[in-house]
């Protein structure tokens, strides 16, 4: 027994040594520095054994190799590259999109809800993206704005009648609002904004970073073979409820005469048109209830927590800068008066200063800290002339670039006058970039700004950092600001 145990330990050690050496040589041969702290599991080792978010571990690597255009990292046997130079990041996301169009998330066929735009790749992703894009055009957003506005008004009522939310659990309160708002605007669920929804529980649970979800996420990034062999699934626990709810919604909508122009309407239209076909390649997908439920599911998961994080980011900054808060509130009050005491779509669009504050808050706290891609054809990154082979996993910096003094003077200073809407997209990427940029960005911004305008018209705020100060949760891709709350004081 002891001999067997010793033999296993020796085999593991030999494997670790040779695997680490192989990875290191692989990148050194290409003129790329290699992250040596853990040559086999790279940043995943620190992520799994420590208590910090993965983006913070990447940030440490970024600071350790300040002049490298990219850094090779350990990832078992799959070559993995952490891209740090903004021109290279831009190549991965935009200019050489054809070589990096795959996000690189693994999924198993039987994980029905994982068959969504975020996880899809190749022709299937392209087709689904084309079909979903019309949901978020400016005209559609204008049409559905009355629902967004109503959700924000309901949220103010909710805050007013629940004083226990005025100084604690701010992030939870914001996710509750975002869940109700996205449910109403995208799916038309509920005439009233609902704050006790089973969708909320699912949304929170789906990406909540538990030890098991962190291990599963790490395996999916370290080895697609192991992920497939173990037949790991992300969302099987929510299948029954979610698919059932969407089926019911679609059948109900088929009977309705009036169109609401929301996600459910688009789904019904897609199903009426029959098989979805890519004109160029002839590739076909059947729009089953299950496939549409997977897209709907992901809009919830993608829409709720990042939008709540964005609103939280703005509130944290405004609660720390009373002069900037005052200026935002004055703008809201002026526009509100100009639009006859209504915060319409045009009124929200007119709030230029609020827009600047929103953009700058997402520079400091981009809700998603870094992005992933997979190389789908051999190519070369421009800075450093780095050869990248098909199959390589790519990690691209976002938070790190947003906080780099080479691109932002005094990056830790909150300064809404930076005019980020004019910023080159390789330096400012809260919604990602290129062909896989966030599909819901415009909707999310509108929803967040509408909520902020209503809340700040009704409340004064202060940021309360608890003992030990603001820190981040141990999250996979997200920034989860912890140990901080907002104190709301009614203005009237
Ligand atoms: C402030 C809130 C939000 C932020 C900061 C955010 C951020 C992001 C980021 C960084 C990505 C990856 C982009 C890339 O890889 O280049 C993404 C993808 C995505 N987001 Fe958002 N998002 C937000 C809200 C939403 C909302 C409200 C929805 C839908 C209702 C949504 C739907 C999606 C989808 C479907 C994708 C995958 C796109 C694809 O792979 O083609 N997001 N989001």
């Amino acid at each position: 027994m002891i001999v067997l145990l010793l033999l296993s330990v020796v085999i593991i050690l030999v494997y670790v040594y040779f695997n680490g050496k192989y990875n290191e040589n692989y990148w050194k041969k290409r003129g790329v520095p290699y992250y040596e702290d853990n040559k086999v599991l790279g940043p995943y080792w620190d992520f799994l054994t420590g208590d910090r978010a993965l983006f913070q571990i990447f940030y440490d690597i970024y600071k350790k190799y300040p002049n490298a255009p990219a850094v090779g990292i350990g990832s078992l046997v799959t070559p993995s590259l952490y891209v740090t130079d903004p021109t290279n990041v831009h190549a991965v996301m935009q200019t050489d999109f054809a070589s990096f169009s795959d996000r690189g998330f693994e999924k198993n066929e039987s994980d029905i809800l994982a068959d969504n735009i975020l996880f899809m790749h190749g022709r299937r992703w392209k087709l689904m993206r084309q079909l979903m894009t019309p949901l978020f055009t400016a005209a559609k957003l204008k049409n559905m704005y009355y629902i967004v506005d109503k959700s924000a008004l309901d949220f103010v009522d909710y805050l007013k009648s629940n004083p226990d939310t005025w100084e604690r659990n701010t992030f939870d309160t914001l996710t509750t609002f975002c869940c109700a708002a996205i449910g109403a605007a995208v799916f038309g669920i509920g005439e009233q904004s609902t704050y006790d929804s089973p969708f909320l529980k699912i949304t929170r649970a789906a990406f909540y970073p538990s030890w098991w979800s962190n291990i599963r996420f790490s395996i999916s990034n370290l080895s697609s073979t192991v992920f497939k062999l173990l037949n790991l699934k992300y969302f099987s626990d929510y299948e029954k409820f979610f698919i059932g709810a969407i089926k019911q919604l679609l059948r109900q909508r088929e009977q309705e005469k009036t169109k609401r122009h929301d996600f459910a309407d688009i789904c019904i239209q897609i199903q009426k048109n029959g098989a979805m076909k890519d004109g160029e390649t002839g590739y076909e997908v059947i729009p089953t209830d299950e496939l549409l439920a997977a897209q709907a599911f992901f809009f919830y998961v993608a829409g709720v927590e990042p939008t709540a994080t964005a609103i939280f980011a703005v509130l944290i900054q405004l609660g720390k800068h009373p002069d900037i808060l005052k200026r935002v509130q004055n703008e809201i009050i002026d526009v509100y008066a100009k639009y006859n005491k209504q915060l319409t779509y045009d009124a929200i669009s007119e709030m230029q200063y609020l827009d600047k504050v929103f953009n700058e808050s997402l520079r400091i706290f981009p809700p998603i800290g870094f992005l992933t891609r997979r190389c789908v054809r051999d190519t070369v990154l421009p800075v450093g002339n780095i050869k990248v082979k098909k199959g390589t996993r790519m990690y691209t910096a976002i938070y790190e670039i947003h906080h780099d003094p080479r691109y932002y003077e005094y990056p830790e200073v909150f300064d809404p006058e930076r005019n980020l809407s004019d910023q080159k997209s390789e330096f400012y990427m809260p919604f990602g970039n290129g062909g896989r940029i966030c599909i819901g960005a415009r909707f999310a911004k509108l929803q967040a700004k509408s909520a902020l305008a209503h809340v700040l018209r009704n409340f004064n705020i202060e940021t309360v950092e608890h003992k030990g100060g603001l820190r981040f949760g141990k999250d996979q891709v997200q920034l989860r600001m912890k140990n901080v709350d907002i104190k709301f004081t009614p203005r009237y």
Side-chain angles (χ1 to χ4, degrees):
M1 186 66 187
I2 293 190
V3 175
L4 208 66
L5 210 69
L6 276 174
L7 198 67
S8 317
V9 170
V10 170
I11 290 173
I12 291 174
L13 286 178
V14 169
Y15 172 79
V16 165
Y17 177 79
F18 282 105
N19 183 226
K21 261 283 166 260
Y22 172 82
N23 287 344
E24 187 173 17
N25 289 339
Y26 182 93
W27 287 114
K28 287 206 166 151
K29 263 196 298 196
R30 286 168 171 75
V32 176
Y34 189 70
Y35 175 60
E36 291 178 343
D37 287 17
N38 190 303
K39 295 184 184 178
V40 178
L41 296 180
Y44 287 99
W45 175 256
D46 284 343
F47 177 58
L48 289 171
T49 55
D51 61 356
R52 294 187 316 148
L54 195 49
F55 88 88
Q56 292 178 291
I57 298 161
F58 275 120
Y59 193 26
D60 287 348
I61 305 178
Y62 186 87
K63 287 185 278 194
K64 196 168 173 186
Y65 303 91
N67 298 314
V71 182
I73 53 175
S75 180
L76 290 176
V77 287
T78 316
S80 295
L81 191 63
Y82 170 42
V83 185
T84 48
D85 177 276
T87 306
N88 280 344
V89 171
H90 199 58
V92 172
M93 306 242 248
Q94 195 152 15
T95 46
D96 195 8
F97 179 72
S99 306
F100 299 103
S101 55
D102 184 348
R103 193 174 292 287
F105 284 0
E106 293 308 332
K107 70 177 169 66
N108 282 307
E109 290 311 314
S110 51
D111 198 355
I112 302 174
L113 294 179
D115 193 15
N116 63 52
I117 309 187
L118 187 89
F119 285 70
M120 281 179 181
H121 51 262
R123 300 179 293 184
R124 196 172 178 79
W125 164 76
K126 199 170 148 215
L127 198 53
M128 193 50 80
R129 175 107 191 176
Q130 278 166 8
L131 279 155
M132 292 297 149
T133 302
L135 186 60
F136 298 107
T137 60
K140 284 263 161 48
L141 291 184
K142 208 167 174 176
N143 277 342
M144 63 165 75
Y145 181 72
Y146 75 101
I147 315 176
V148 173
D149 185 54
K150 180 166 182 312
S151 306
L153 279 166
D154 287 352
F155 182 49
V156 169
D157 286 347
Y158 174 79
L159 277 181
K160 282 186 174 165
S161 47
N162 286 283
D164 56 317
T165 58
W166 291 357
E167 210 173 326
R168 55 195 170 93
N169 298 334
T170 309
F171 185 66
D172 283 353
T173 308
L174 294 173
T175 53
T176 308
F177 157 68
C178 290
C179 188
I182 204 152
V186 183
F187 308 113
I189 291 170
E191 292 296 309
Q192 288 290 322
S193 300
T194 159
Y195 289 104
D196 182 25
S197 137
F199 287 91
L200 177 62
K201 289 186 191 81
I202 289 185
T203 307
R204 283 202 181 130
F207 270 128
Y208 198 79
S210 64
W211 69 269
W212 168 236
S213 74
N214 286 341
I215 289 182
R216 188 179 48 200
F217 174 79
S218 303
I219 296 177
S220 96
N221 279 287
L222 289 166
S223 169
S224 41
T225 318
V226 176
F227 191 84
K228 291 220 179 302
L229 257 168
L230 297 176
N231 195 20
L232 295 178
K233 292 179 200 166
Y234 288 99
F235 309 120
S236 49
D237 290 353
Y238 321 116
E239 264 167 28
K240 198 162 171 260
F241 169 80
F242 209 91
I243 296 172
I246 294 298
K247 271 184 195 283
Q248 197 187 345
L249 173 70
L250 294 181
R251 298 297 88 80
Q252 187 186 321
R253 286 297 189 84
E254 279 164 0
Q255 311 301 321
E256 284 180 15
K257 294 269 177 297
T258 45
K259 271 191 171 290
R260 300 194 212 185
H261 305 286
D262 58 7
F263 179 81
D265 277 356
I266 289 198
C267 287
I268 287 162
Q269 197 50 51
I270 290 174
Q271 287 190 323
K272 271 194 190 144
N273 295 346
M276 310 185 296
K277 195 167 177 173
D278 181 3
E280 261 173 52
T281 58
Y283 174 73
E284 275 190 6
V285 175
I286 311 287
T288 59
D289 287 351
E290 285 73 13
L291 182 66
L292 295 172
Q295 312 319 307
F297 172 74
F298 187 69
F299 281 1
Y300 257 96
V301 175
V304 173
E305 289 225 342
T307 312
T309 306
I311 299 174
F312 199 23
V314 177
L315 294 176
I316 290 174
Q317 294 299 347
L318 288 181
K320 287 203 278 192
H321 297 93
D323 46 334
I324 300 176
L325 171 65
K326 191 90 226 127
R327 203 172 146 192
V328 170
Q329 285 175 319
N330 286 343
E331 180 181 67
I332 295 167
I333 290 161
D334 289 351
V335 174
Y336 181 71
K338 181 175 163 192
Y339 282 84
N340 296 323
K341 301 190 174 178
Q342 301 280 324
L343 289 177
T344 61
Y345 179 87
D346 291 334
I348 298 293
S349 312
E350 208 169 303
M351 295 179 190
Q352 293 301 309
Y353 193 60
L354 177 63
D355 194 63
K356 286 181 176 186
V357 164
F358 180 87
N359 293 341
E360 172 68 349
S361 305
L362 267 65
R363 180 188 66 77
I364 293 192
F365 295 126
I368 309 293
F370 66 92
L371 291 176
T372 60
R373 296 286 190 266
R374 182 169 22 214
C375 180
V376 293
R377 64 172 192 200
D378 294 359
T379 189
V380 177
L381 290 183
V383 182
N385 207 22
I386 303 166
K387 290 195 177 77
V388 182
K389 279 194 93 59
K390 182 177 171 182
T392 306
R393 278 183 185 281
M394 313 295 288
Y395 297 84
T396 61
I398 295 186
Y399 179 92
E400 305 85 315
I401 294 176
H402 284 194
H403 287 258
D404 191 327
R406 287 174 292 187
Y407 317 122
Y408 293 99
E409 214 179 7
Y410 306 113
E412 302 313 321
V413 173
F414 177 67
D415 177 9
E417 296 304 339
R418 289 185 201 267
N419 224 350
L420 294 166
S421 46
D422 289 346
Q423 181 59 274
K424 279 180 154 181
S425 60
E426 55 257 57
F427 300 133
Y428 185 64
M429 298 163 284
F431 292 101
N433 208 352
R436 293 203 79 139
I437 196 167
C438 173
I439 206 172
R442 275 202 285 206
F443 173 79
K445 221 172 154 178
L446 186 65
Q447 187 195 312
K449 280 165 48 182
S450 167
L452 285 162
H454 280 288
V455 168
L456 296 173
R457 199 179 75 71
N458 285 280
F459 290 91
N460 278 322
I461 56 162
E462 268 170 74
T463 300
V464 184
E465 283 190 18
H466 304 297
K467 204 167 161 230
L470 185 151
R471 53 188 166 77
F472 295 102
K474 178 178 171 168
D475 268 67
Q476 295 152 13
V477 292
Q478 206 173 310
L479 265 74
R480 192 182 292 268
M481 286 84 85
K482 289 182 98 159
N483 215 27
V484 58
D485 278 302
I486 303 298
K487 181 176 173 193
F488 295 93
T489 316
R491 298 184 70 210
Y492 307 106

